Amino acid sequence: MASEIELADVQAGYGRAAPVLRGFSVAVPAGSVVCLVGPNGAGKSTVLKVAAGLLRPSSGRVLVGDADLTGAGPQKMLAAGVALVLQGHSVFREMTVAENVLLGGYTIKDKARVAERAAFVRDLFPVVAQRWGSLAGLLSGGQQKQVEFARSLMVDPKVVLLDEPSMGLDPKATSTIFEQVARMRDAGTAVLLVEQNARRALQTADIGCVLDLGRVHVSGPAAELLADPQLGELYLGGKPTHIR
Amino acid sequence: MPSGGLVFQSVILGLLLGGLYALLAAGLTLYFGIMRVVMIAHSAFLILAAYLAWWSHERLGTDPLLSMIVTVPLFFGAGVLFQRLLLSRLRPITLTMMSVLLTFAVALIIEGLLGYAFTGTQRRIQLSYGSASIGLFGARIAVVKLIAFGLAVVALGGLYLLMKRTTFGWALRATIQHGDAARLVGIDTDRVAGYGFGLGLATAAVGGTALSLDTTIYPSLHWHWIGPLMAIIVVGGLGSVPGAAAAAVLLGLMQSLLQIPMGTTWAQTIFYLALFATLAFRPQGFFGGRLAQRF
Amino acid sequence: MTLESRDVRKAFGGVVALDGATVSFRPGRVNALIGPNGSGKTTFFNCVTGMIRADSGRITYAGQDITRKAPHAIARAGVGRTFQLCRVFPRMSALDNVLAAVRPAGLAGGLRGARRRGEVDRARGWLTRLGIEHLADVEARNMSWGQQKLLELAGVLMGEPDTVLLDEPAGGVNPALLDRIGTLVRELNAEGRTFVIVEHNMDLVMAISDHIVVFDRGRPIAEGPPSLIRTDERVLGAYLGV
Amino acid sequence: MPSASRRVLTGLGLAALAAAVLSFPSLAPNPYILSAGIVVLNFAVLSTSWNFVGGFTGYISLGHGALAGLGGYGTALLVTRAGLPSFVACAVAALLVAALAVPIGLAALRVRGASFVIVSIALVLILLLVFQSWAAVTGGSRGLVVPRPFPGLLRPEHHRVFYYLFAALLALALLAWWLIDRSRFGLGLKAIREDEDKAEALGTPTLAYKLIVFVISAGFTALAGGLYALWFGDLDPVFQFSILTGCYLVLMALLGGVRNLFGPFTGALIVGVALEYFKGRFGNTPLHLVATGLLLGLVVMFMPDGILPALGGLWRRLRRNQQSSIREVTAAELRDEREREGAGR
Amino acid sequence: DDGGDGGQASDDPIVVGISLPLTGDFSEPGKGVQEGYEAWAKITNDKGGLLGRQIELKILDDQSNADRVVADYEQLIGSDKVDLVVGPFSTRLVVPSARVAEEYGMLFVEPAGAAKEVFEQGFKNLFYAAPAVANDHYNHLAEYLIAMPPDKRPQTVAYAAMDDPFAQGTAYGLKAKLEAAGFKTVVDEVYPPNTTDFGSIAAKIAASKADMLVGGSQYQDGVNLIVALQQLAYQPKLAAFSGAPTNPEFAKAIGNKTEGVLSPTGYTPGAPYESNKEFVEKFKAQFGKEPEEDQANAYTTGQVVAAAVTAAGCAEQGDCQKKLVDWVHANKVETVVGPLSWDAAGKPQGAHMIQQWLGGSIKIVLPEPVKEADLLYPKPAW
Ligand SMILES: Nc1ncnc2c1ncn2[C@@H]1O[C@H](COP(=O)(O)OP(=O)(O)OP(=O)(O)O)[C@@H](O)[C@H]1O
Ligand SMILES: Nc1ncnc2c1ncn2[C@@H]1O[C@H](COP(=O)(O)OP(=O)(O)OP(=O)(O)O)[C@@H](O)[C@H]1O
Ligand SMILES: CC(C)C[C@H](N)C(=O)O
Ligand SMILES: [Mg+2]
Ligand SMILES: [Mg+2]
């Protein structure tokens, strides 16, 4: 089956400094979750930025479906069905939760459809419904994260790129997110997931991919990666119980 | 003790003046509150618009209000270009500081070119209805001031609706607050930011025309306006159009009334006193402005 | 040097973020503060460190009332903190970021050179301990999220606080490094430092903490050692969501 | 690192600079050139003074022209009304302005970024209004005449004396800036520039720091203003309290580079000469404003860090081409290294 | 220019250094002064120059800025080594520049420092080349009003003056005299030079219903005040403005409702003085318009300097300047504004004429000996 999104031999970086990604490739088939793990600074977020069109690769190709969208901007990418949830906090701080969520549907022309999606995300994240009228910048860290996720769910894209979606979320909300990821996969969406909560993420994922120094270090079925003790120690963390 | 008639007349003058202030400050609210840009050149653009109105009247004999047909789109375009070609290239980290200097540079350039083209002579449009007025309970309302006030109401109302009710307004605010996130929901941030700036300058075209109806203009006049306008948007709560309007009317009124006992020069200090009082007691402004106090 | 709060309230407009929070963090322990999103943990930190002012209630540190003290005074009293949305000095090198935590005493101290040998060595030491020594000369804004998080921690530790408040230290940090942070916390604790850690990574919390306080809706609903908290009904209901 | 040779080089550079500055009066072909030199030095002192606040803390003040004006008026009033000797008056005025800077700073430094800019503009405008309106004390628009400190001196001699006074003041300001720059206090200020809340949380008393440096800056600015008043002789509120002056100071500092000791000085030299040149070049048209504006715009767009850093960067790039500052290690290598370290312990 | 027998002068030209506000706030009158100087140089050169040498003007722009004007004279005297300097426009610029000239020992005749402050600085080399200083501009009007029968004359007076030494000086000179004679002051407003909105000032004046209005104005502020007063339907019985009414644009600017408006002037193109005919004629030929006061004052300045140079027989820096100064102090000079002489402070000893708009043109109404028409009182509505 053809991949919904594919990065082939991508080289990318910031400004004049040495490139961050050097010959990175990944393919995410429709209806599957690919989980990208790796140490801090390995280039995971950079991969997602390239995939979403925020960062133009210096070489290599970005394919969405059958189309070559290398170098296309985020709007084109979105139009092609690729959505990204950024790492860290990217709510529109001085706009209300409502405005944030509804802006998620910026590209949808059909008003009724926007309302429908809004109702859906309000159901999914109680915080969003509760704080519908307050300024998003005033929410707690985890609440903001939920708003962001809700915002990205306003469209239902073919490819979802998630940059550490569970960061800062309490266990309940984390579960909601992973359930949602599974549900999207089941609905045929291709999900490229970056997570430091690696064990949890790999449990949800179909394919795991370890990134180090801008290259694919290992990739394979998620379950296999989980079982590899060496990878566990280097990238996934042991069971922290041994600390004391 | 001032007579009741003088007080009433001053109230009317103050309200009319406040309306004009609100219009002149509207663009600043836009760039400053929403786009984090300190636009020193706003008043220079006001003066430029006023000059264009004067010039078209002088040359073509047309009513200065008609000049807006040209200046509004012209300024809008200039704003878009200014944002796209210059402001967007500044580094976000130092945007506030650099925008001050860049727009200051633009103000100097405009002042210099105006002086070059029209000399430093003070100019004033001579309208057939320039000294006409209508009576109201013993006070007089100058027709030109009333027109300026009307322009202010229309422009401000439009701006408010645009920002709060239209997708464009939302998109603009989103763009400023988190560019990357805005692009990721599909907003063409470059274009939106450009339009936002263009809009601010378009208000300058309207404001400048209103200004030209009843005052003298000269190239360095913009310095005179910077202080009061900045004070108005701080008191009004940065970024809040209704806040700026309320502050403008209030300060205009106070200035007008204070002139009775204190004279022209001292009455002007009210702007700065209000500014300092605002910062001391309510840095987020007295009318709205929620998160805006610190940036 | 107990950190105590008594009946602290903080409301933002209609939202009550802290609703009479009374807690006590004893010295020499690794304390954890957990609770659902929006339960007031960060607000609590902000009140303790003076970044925002509580509406009512009292906060004491080592017996001293610090409720109305300025943040820098509280920091000088020995309470250091990190931020949930990690904050570093973007246009300063990692080394300078750490050095900036050195607090000069008085005017003479302030005029001393900022890059004295001993302090630079100490700063490098912290970078090394957190595994980012290779980034010493890189400007903080050019670092990845996790790297910045570690850098922030290094800066706080450089200030040698007796009590360290960490707001989600694990958020976005690679699990392999997480072990390292956990170990570091235990080591520093063994050296005598007290910790209060806000964290959603339950594995980490359970592994390193001696004492856990659970917040819900702006007040503690349970506290005790990890073994107890893990099985507490209220905690399960409000937070762990089982 | 060849730090010893670098130090020698720095020393030589400084000596050369000092020699150039000090020998200027004897090289100047006529008193006019000398007076132009004084103007440049005055600008250099002012923008260096500005840079105490602007460079370290990143607070952009467009109001420093007003502080200089206060220094000038203070000096003049102390001489004419209190009968103080000229230079005593200048010092006392600077102290008074520094004292006045405390409440001003307390009010203004509470707000950041753009709001501070506005406050600083407001400071100029309100002082202009006060000094214009309060004619009984300040002379208002009729101006104020500052008595000559050396009444017997011919004008060229007068210039020469003041040239050296300004040079000494500049040296003092540079020394103070250098001391702060390398100190912990300075590092604290830079931290404020980067993230004020964070600096506060790390234990930096930010308000006190900002206030101290603002007061120092105000003091130096007022000294320069006072000295200028003694040299120039005529004060007029319109010129003493002008935003344009404040903006020129910022332009100079920025052009040279706010993070460099000699940045503002370099900027003052360039802008001072440029203003003189534009005046000659565009004579009786307001195009000199356009030229200044373009210069400022070009600096902001293409050299936001200033000339000195730009030159420094060029130099570094020429010497060793493109070094990557990020050392590259994979997780596995890191682990090995750590294990070695652990074994060593 | 090859005028007359100028060719035989083998010497270098006499360079006259001038700084003028050609840009900035005072650029309008500054340009007028420039024309006056240029007319003087051309007319003099056409007649063979001074001491047989041609006159060459070196004009710098001071941008209406006091710092610059000082630098300019510094440059002219120190660097360009001009032979003579003459003054800039406006009291604000004259005082600092006169100090430079003084300290270099140069003769300093100036066309535009009329406020009394100029003469309080102890300058010994300065001379104001016009009939009267600001405070004396309205002297004839004051005399006239005081001489009116007490029940017929205006009872209450409103003053509004720009905060500028010159403009204020004119209004306050009149005010002092009228108050002493028992005229009641009902409004006394001062407004900053940059004022553009006169609504509130006008409201105060209108509310006072003053019989007479005195404006210490330059040009545009006077117009603005009048329009604002028209908007409030205020009608004084007498209105006098310094500056504004003599401007050629004035009538149109206030909707041609000029009838009866008064103004003091130091110069009129129709003045009977000998040199004036030549001036007006040649000025018209050169610039295609009649000279106004600013042009005339500059020309007068030139005439004074020329007389001194001719008498002293020298024109260069150094000892010659002392001779020139001494000569001007000791002598009377015939000029386009009449014969001028000065006190020790350089203050001229005369008064201005009073003009009034009558039947669409401005005519001299005071003093009696030179009047072209009778003063109209009360003035018609505007
Ligand atoms: N804006 C930037 N400018 C320059 N360098 C950058 C920038 N952003 C990231 N880098 C560098 O690129 C490398 C990869 O960064 P990236 O953000 O992709 O890492 P990451 O794998 O997402 O790490 P983390 O887990 O910490 O989020 C890092 O070494 C970082 O220092
Ligand atoms: N400055 C503020 N203005 C208004 N409301 C605020 C502000 N700061 C926090 N709140 C509200 O207070 C509540 C508690 O927020 P807080 O940040 O303390 O939560 P938290 O426990 O740290 O959550 P998280 O785990 O998501 O970080 C939230 O509902 C939040 O919306
Ligand atoms: C004042 C500071 C901006 C200067 C210092 N040299 C630095 O690089 O940060
Ligand atoms: Mg990342
Ligand atoms: Mg939190």
Side-chain angles (χ1 to χ4, degrees):
Chain A
M1 183 185 164
S3 296
E4 202 63 69
I5 187 165
E6 183 176 350
L7 273 64
D9 204 18
V10 163
Q11 188 140 350
Y14 302 91
R16 224 183 262 123
V20 172
L21 299 182
R22 25 194 118 174
F24 174 84
S25 304
V26 73
V28 189
S32 69
V33 177
V34 174
C35 178
L36 210 53
V37 297
N40 294 119
K44 305 180 296 295
S45 300
T46 309
V47 168
L48 296 194
K49 285 185 203 161
V50 170
L54 280 177
L55 194 66
R56 185 188 288 266
S58 50
S59 72
R61 285 181 309 148
V62 180
L63 306 170
V64 179
D66 301 327
D68 185 343
L69 289 183
T70 313
Q75 265 179 302
K76 276 222 182 98
M77 285 295 189
L78 192 70
V82 182
L84 164 66
V85 181
L86 286 170
Q87 182 174 22
H89 290 263
S90 64
V91 290
F92 304 123
R93 296 178 53 82
E94 285 164 40
M95 300 175 78
T96 61
V97 171
E99 289 171 327
N100 266 279
V101 169
L102 295 177
L103 265 176
Y106 183 78
T107 47
I108 307 176
K109 291 279 165 298
D110 178 6
K111 284 260 164 56
R113 173 103 185 108
V114 172
E116 188 186 306
R117 291 303 294 184
F120 167 70
V121 299
R122 281 166 57 116
D123 259 4
L124 201 58
F125 297 101
V127 180
V128 170
Q130 279 159 25
R131 305 294 291 274
W132 191 242
S134 40
L135 288 186
L138 299 181
L139 298 190
S140 84
Q143 293 169 334
Q144 290 187 19
K145 203 70 209 167
Q146 296 181 41
V147 171
E148 275 166 56
F149 199 68
R151 187 175 68 197
S152 71
L153 290 181
M154 286 297 289
V155 285
D156 52 347
K158 282 191 281 187
V159 180
V160 176
L161 312 168
L162 298 174
D163 202 347
E164 308 204 12
S166 78
M167 189 173 71
L169 292 185
D170 63 24
K172 269 191 195 165
T174 305
S175 300
T176 312
I177 299 251
F178 281 114
E179 278 161 25
Q180 197 53 39
V181 167
R183 212 172 297 153
M184 284 193 281
R185 173 204 20 221
D186 298 344
T189 313
V191 181
L192 181 54
L193 178 66
V194 167
E195 259 300 336
Q196 293 295 12
N197 195 350
R199 291 186 180 277
R200 176 78 189 260
L202 283 174
Q203 280 159 18
T204 314
D206 305 299
I207 302 167
C209 178
V210 177
L211 179 66
D212 202 353
L213 282 185
R215 286 194 196 89
V216 178
H217 190 69
V218 197
S219 96
E224 275 176 29
L225 297 192
L226 265 176
D228 186 329
Q230 164 122 23
L231 287 181
E233 188 197 348
L234 282 178
Y235 299 105
L236 312 179
K239 271 270 166 245
T241 35
H242 68 271
I243 289 175
R244 319 182 70 184
Chain B
M1 190 61 226
S3 69
L6 176 55
V7 172
F8 182 54
Q9 180 71 61
S10 293
V11 167
I12 287 184
L13 285 170
L15 287 176
L16 294 169
L17 192 63
L20 182 64
Y21 285 165
L23 174 57
L24 302 190
L28 279 178
T29 310
L30 209 66
Y31 331 110
F32 190 94
I34 302 176
M35 312 183 64
R36 304 292 195 275
V37 169
V38 185
M39 175 73 169
I40 303 273
H42 184 68
S43 36
F45 276 103
L46 287 172
I47 306 307
L48 177 60
Y51 260 101
L52 293 177
W54 165 81
W55 185 80
S56 67
H57 177 75
E58 201 77 353
R59 275 300 156 93
L60 313 170
T62 52
D63 192 282
L65 292 178
L66 287 179
S67 72
M68 284 196 291
I69 296 173
V70 177
T71 54
V72 170
L74 187 72
F75 275 45
F76 181 81
V80 173
L81 287 181
F82 186 56
Q83 202 282 335
R84 293 296 294 277
L85 297 183
L86 298 176
L87 285 174
S88 64
R89 291 180 197 221
L90 298 177
R91 285 180 284 182
I93 284 194
T94 50
L95 177 65
T96 302
M97 161 176 165
M98 291 299 172
S99 67
V100 172
L101 299 170
L102 186 62
T103 56
F104 177 75
V106 172
L108 282 184
I109 293 172
I110 292 178
E111 181 185 340
L113 291 178
L114 279 179
Y116 186 66
F118 301 117
T119 77
T121 312
Q122 301 201 342
R123 310 283 185 181
R124 181 187 174 118
I125 295 182
Q126 286 139 23
L127 287 171
S128 52
Y129 50 93
S131 48
S133 63
I134 47 183
L136 180 78
F137 304 119
R140 315 280 320 171
I141 304 177
V143 172
V144 277
K145 289 189 199 287
L146 203 58
I147 295 177
F149 189 80
L151 280 179
V153 171
V154 172
L156 288 175
L159 193 60
Y160 180 74
L161 290 180
L162 192 69
M163 293 310 294
K164 283 282 161 167
R165 295 290 159 75
T166 66
T167 358
F168 167 75
W170 287 27
L172 178 57
R173 286 152 65 209
T175 299
I176 304 321
Q177 288 170 35
H178 203 302
D180 274 351
R183 292 164 73 193
L184 288 172
V185 298
I187 297 169
D188 184 346
T189 52
D190 287 342
R191 205 171 61 199
V192 163
Y195 285 179
F197 213 85
L199 206 59
L201 272 195
T203 68
V206 180
T209 310
L211 188 68
S212 75
L213 292 178
D214 194 36
T215 50
T216 317
I217 50 176
Y218 47 91
S220 63
L221 176 61
H222 65 111
W223 296 116
H224 170 70
W225 280 104
I226 286 177
L229 294 187
M230 293 280 175
I232 284 169
I233 62 167
V234 172
V235 175
L238 304 166
S240 154
V241 172
V249 171
L250 189 73
L251 287 174
L253 201 57
M254 284 169 77
Q255 186 196 11
S256 185
L257 287 173
L258 282 175
Q259 282 196 349
I260 302 175
M262 302 197 335
T264 315
T265 315
W266 286 113
Q268 278 183 32
T269 57
I270 183 65
F271 287 103
Y272 309 113
L273 295 181
L275 171 69
F276 286 120
T278 306
L279 294 175
F281 300 112
R282 251 184 93 85
Q284 70 272 40
F286 277 106
F287 307 89
R290 292 164 294 189
L291 273 181
Q293 75 259 43
R294 293 196 151 173
F295 49 77
Chain C
M1 297 205 237
T2 312
L3 177 63
E4 272 181 308
S5 79
R6 185 156 297 280
D7 213 17
V8 171
R9 265 186 59 87
K10 177 74 200 178
F12 298 101
V15 182
V16 181
L18 288 178
D19 188 10
T22 303
V23 278
S24 165
F25 294 111
R26 289 232 300 284
R29 290 201 300 210
V30 176
N31 302 284
L33 178 57
I34 62 174
N37 291 136
S39 56
K41 306 179 297 291
T42 299
T43 307
F44 181 76
F45 272 14
N46 282 339
C47 286
V48 168
T49 53
M51 306 299 289
I52 59 177
R53 198 151 275 183
D55 296 338
S56 64
R58 226 168 88 93
I59 301 167
T60 58
Y61 179 66
Q64 226 186 332
D65 189 340
I66 56 168
T67 321
R68 304 230 161 269
K69 280 205 173 155
H72 64 87
I74 296 172
R76 280 166 184 248
V79 181
R81 76 168 291 185
T82 63
F83 291 84
Q84 182 172 0
L85 307 179
C86 116
R87 292 175 89 158
V88 290
F89 302 120
R91 283 176 304 171
M92 281 160 67
S93 70
L95 187 62
D96 279 350
N97 257 280
V98 180
L99 282 172
V102 177
R103 294 185 294 269
L107 192 63
L111 288 180
R112 279 235 199 101
R115 285 169 169 265
R116 294 158 70 85
R117 174 62 55 77
E119 263 143 29
V120 170
D121 287 348
R122 219 154 56 75
R124 284 191 187 278
W126 283 116
L127 292 177
T128 310
R129 251 175 126 168
L130 287 163
I132 47 173
E133 74 277 15
H134 58 291
L135 299 173
D137 298 320
V138 177
E139 284 193 10
R141 60 177 163 161
N142 290 340
M143 295 166 62
S144 81
W145 174 272
Q147 291 165 338
Q148 292 189 13
K149 234 129 172 150
L150 296 170
L151 176 59
E152 186 184 23
L153 185 56
V156 171
L157 292 173
M158 181 76 183
E160 310 235 292
D162 297 316
T163 301
V164 191
L165 312 184
L166 303 179
D167 202 346
E168 301 199 13
V173 173
N174 182 258
L177 262 177
L178 213 55
D179 297 357
R180 191 144 184 212
I181 292 182
T183 314
L184 184 67
V185 167
R186 291 306 319 181
E187 278 173 26
L188 292 167
N189 176 243
E191 290 165 20
R193 258 177 260 274
T194 309
F195 282 87
V196 181
I197 301 176
V198 166
E199 185 49 70
H200 291 301
N201 184 330
M202 280 306 113
D203 290 342
L204 182 68
V205 169
M206 295 300 167
I208 63 171
S209 51
D210 304 307
H211 183 79
I212 300 180
V213 177
V214 186
F215 261 34
D216 190 24
R217 296 185 199 165
R219 58 153 63 111
I221 53 165
E223 60 182 295
S227 50
L228 226 70
I229 295 299
R230 213 192 300 258
T231 52
D232 188 299
E233 291 285 319
R234 283 165 305 173
V235 179
L236 289 175
Y239 183 53
L240 297 174
V242 187
Chain D
M1 205 198 278
S3 79
S5 72
R6 244 187 92 177
R7 213 168 290 166
V8 171
L9 224 69
T10 316
L12 283 178
L14 275 179
L17 189 69
V21 169
L22 291 178
S23 61
F24 179 76
S26 19
L27 298 178
N30 59 52
Y32 161 65
I33 299 291
L34 186 54
S35 74
I38 295 178
V39 170
V40 168
L41 277 188
N42 176 49
F43 275 143
V45 180
L46 286 174
S47 64
T48 302
S49 310
W50 176 89
N51 206 30
F52 280 94
V53 176
F56 289 126
T57 67
Y59 277 67
I60 300 300
S61 158
L62 293 183
H64 265 57
L67 294 173
L70 278 179
Y73 264 96
T75 305
L77 291 173
L78 285 171
V79 174
T80 53
R81 309 249 161 182
L84 290 185
S86 299
F87 293 98
V88 177
C90 185
V92 173
L95 286 179
L96 288 178
V97 173
L100 185 68
V102 174
I104 295 178
L106 279 175
L109 294 167
R110 283 166 48 102
V111 290
R112 302 179 190 176
S115 307
F116 180 78
V117 176
I118 294 185
V119 171
S120 70
I121 294 178
L123 179 71
V124 183
L125 296 172
I126 196 166
L127 284 176
L128 173 61
L129 288 176
V130 168
F131 275 77
Q132 240 172 8
S133 309
W134 199 15
V137 172
T138 64
S141 62
R142 297 192 309 276
L144 193 62
V145 176
V146 194
R148 285 287 192 237
F150 315 108
L153 230 48
L154 285 174
R155 201 164 171 95
E157 272 315 300
H158 188 247
H159 287 347
R160 188 181 298 272
V161 171
F162 272 89
Y163 181 90
Y164 287 118
L165 285 171
F166 272 109
L169 187 55
L170 177 62
L172 199 63
L174 288 174
L175 179 68
W177 201 92
W178 177 77
L179 276 175
I180 293 179
D181 184 38
R182 57 183 291 287
S183 72
R184 296 180 185 174
F185 174 55
L187 191 59
L189 292 170
K190 290 171 210 164
I192 291 173
R193 177 182 74 202
E194 297 298 316
D195 185 338
E196 202 163 333
D197 289 331
K198 172 70 185 172
E200 177 85 23
L202 280 179
T204 311
T206 51
L207 187 61
Y209 269 40
K210 287 187 289 180
L211 201 58
I212 291 173
V213 87
F214 183 68
V215 167
I216 294 175
S217 170
F220 273 110
T221 310
L223 267 182
L227 207 53
Y228 186 79
L230 290 175
W231 173 64
F232 192 75
D234 289 282
L235 299 179
D236 185 327
V238 175
F239 305 119
Q240 292 300 310
F241 302 98
S242 134
I243 308 179
L244 211 55
T245 316
C247 291
Y248 280 144
L249 301 187
V250 182
L251 169 59
M252 291 168 198
L254 207 68
L255 182 67
V258 291
R259 287 155 169 247
N260 282 74
L261 177 57
F262 292 105
F265 179 47
T266 312
L269 204 61
I270 297 172
V271 175
V273 172
L275 287 178
E276 225 26 57
Y277 172 78
F278 291 155
K279 190 196 104 185
R281 181 79 184 69
F282 300 116
N284 48 11
T285 67
L287 289 183
H288 61 267
L289 287 176
V290 179
T292 312
L294 283 177
L295 180 64
L296 180 55
L298 289 176
V299 171
V300 170
M301 294 307 302
F302 299 110
M303 254 189 267
D305 290 327
I307 285 182
L308 293 185
L311 290 179
L314 200 68
W315 173 243
R316 241 171 288 129
R317 226 174 305 146
L318 285 179
R319 279 192 26 181
R320 46 197 148 118
N321 30 17
Q322 212 186 40
Q323 50 132 15
S324 159
S325 54
I326 304 175
R327 201 175 82 199
E328 310 191 343
V329 276
T330 63
E333 287 162 5
L334 232 113
R335 178 198 52 183
D336 295 345
E337 198 171 304
R338 210 174 303 146
E339 270 164 7
R340 270 199 307 278
E341 259 171 45
R345 238 187 238 160
Chain E
D1 311 343
D2 59 341
D5 49 0
Q8 56 111 40
S10 54
D11 286 344
D12 295 337
I14 297 176
V15 182
V16 180
I18 314 161
S19 168
L20 287 174
L22 299 175
T23 56
D25 294 347
F26 302 132
S27 59
E28 179 72 351
K31 296 225 167 85
V33 171
Q34 184 183 16
E35 287 170 356
Y37 282 137
E38 280 169 355
W40 169 67
K42 181 167 187 330
I43 293 170
T44 312
N45 285 339
D46 288 349
K47 291 194 294 189
L50 276 180
L51 307 176
R53 295 161 66 185
Q54 289 286 295
I55 293 168
E56 185 183 307
L57 301 182
K58 178 151 183 73
I59 299 179
L60 300 180
D61 172 25
D62 56 47
Q63 303 164 8
S64 307
N65 178 329
D67 292 356
R68 293 241 64 104
V69 86
V70 166
D72 279 354
Y73 281 102
E74 195 88 57
Q75 176 186 345
L76 290 168
I77 300 169
S79 174
D80 300 342
K81 306 274 185 234
V82 296
D83 299 302
L84 300 164
V85 286
V86 287
F89 177 86
S90 163
T91 298
R92 282 190 163 180
L93 299 179
V94 163
V95 174
S97 48
R99 189 175 324 280
V100 182
E102 187 86 9
E103 289 178 359
Y104 280 111
M106 302 287 286
L107 168 70
F108 196 71
V109 186
E110 50 95 359
K116 65 177 193 303
E117 286 74 18
V118 174
F119 312 99
E120 292 167 352
Q121 308 294 333
F123 294 137
K124 299 189 177 58
N125 299 359
L126 174 140
F127 302 92
Y128 175 40
V133 300
N135 294 49
D136 296 337
H137 279 192
Y138 278 119
N139 282 0
H140 289 304
L141 181 63
E143 281 162 26
Y144 179 87
L145 290 173
I146 293 166
M148 281 171 82
D151 54 327
K152 293 257 178 60
R153 69 191 197 190
Q155 306 297 319
T156 54
V157 192
Y159 301 88
M162 181 194 276
D163 187 4
D164 173 274
F166 168 77
Q168 247 177 317
T170 57
Y172 286 180
L174 180 57
K175 177 162 168 264
K177 293 181 186 84
L178 292 186
E179 276 181 353
F183 292 73
K184 194 163 160 234
T185 301
V186 287
V187 175
D188 177 8
E189 280 287 300
V190 176
Y191 50 85
N194 54 17
T195 308
T196 55
D197 182 69
F198 285 79
S200 294
I201 297 170
K204 262 169 138 172
I205 296 171
S208 78
K209 302 200 164 58
D211 292 335
M212 175 175 171
L213 170 66
V214 179
S217 57
Q218 307 240 347
Y219 168 64
Q220 194 62 53
D221 54 322
V223 169
N224 289 346
L225 180 58
I226 293 174
V227 173
L229 287 167
Q230 288 173 336
Q231 289 174 353
L232 296 177
Y234 163 72
Q235 300 295 350
K237 289 188 202 143
L238 206 59
F241 293 86
S242 45
T246 49
N247 189 295
E249 311 272 312
F250 177 73
K252 200 171 144 235
I254 65 163
N256 293 318
K257 308 230 180 66
T258 52
E259 194 67 2
V261 175
L262 291 166
S263 175
T265 184
Y267 172 75
T268 155
Y273 311 111
E274 198 181 317
S275 58
N276 186 43
K277 278 213 206 78
E278 177 188 23
F279 171 51
V280 174
E281 190 179 305
K282 293 193 174 163
F283 186 93
K284 267 194 191 148
Q286 190 176 353
F287 294 101
K289 61 180 181 188
E290 287 215 328
E292 295 163 47
E293 195 168 351
D294 293 328
Q295 285 87 337
N297 287 353
Y299 190 83
T300 309
T301 302
Q303 287 183 301
V304 174
V305 171
V309 167
T310 313
C314 68
E316 69 265 338
Q317 291 193 30
D319 297 336
C320 168
Q321 296 287 330
K322 180 86 185 95
K323 284 192 228 162
L324 297 174
V325 171
D326 289 343
W327 187 88
V328 183
H329 270 303
N331 290 280
K332 183 177 264 196
V333 183
E334 291 296 334
T335 71
V336 295
V337 299
L340 290 181
S341 62
W342 295 268
D343 68 5
K347 199 162 153 182
Q349 313 287 330
H352 270 32
M353 297 167 280
I354 304 295
Q355 295 175 310
Q356 188 171 36
W357 277 88
L358 293 168
S361 69
I362 191 156
K363 302 217 163 66
I364 294 172
V365 292
L366 291 174
E368 283 296 320
V370 294
K371 78 173 184 191
E372 300 166 346
D374 287 327
L375 192 145
L376 173 70
Y377 175 87
K379 86 170 201 57
W382 56 18

